[in-house]
Amino acid sequence: MNNDRKLIKFNASTGFSVVLEFGNTEEKIAYEEKIKNAGFECETINDFNLNFDKADLFMDMRSPECREQFDLDDWI
């Protein structure tokens, strides 16, 4: 079983720091490319803990509810 987390972090057009977690590498890469193509820096991070790491917004894109609420175009 693969326990590697698939996380990206970027600074949105609003100035907010955003962390997204994905269930698969392909989706993570697709979001990374869209963010970078919009002119924003995007980095892969190995881990994220809500209690200890800083982000203005964390979205678990593995959740259908989070996917429904988050529109990347609003942030880039």
Side-chain angles (χ1 to χ4, degrees), residues 3-56:
N3 289 327
D4 290 338
R5 294 180 75 183
K6 293 149 190 72
L7 298 155
I8 58 173
K9 181 176 183 179
F10 70 100
N11 290 321
S13 62
T14 59
F16 287 5
S17 171
V18 179
V19 173
L20 304 174
E21 182 164 7
F22 300 93
N24 64 65
T25 302
E26 294 79 17
E27 187 176 24
K28 176 186 152 288
I29 290 170
Y31 271 73
E32 276 180 310
E33 289 177 358
K34 189 169 185 179
I35 293 164
K36 288 177 180 177
N37 287 339
F40 295 92
E41 289 185 26
C42 181
E43 65 179 306
T44 297
I45 57 176
N46 294 325
D47 201 12
F48 183 80
N49 183 310
L50 289 172
N51 295 320
F52 301 109
D53 296 317
K54 185 176 184 312
D56 296 307

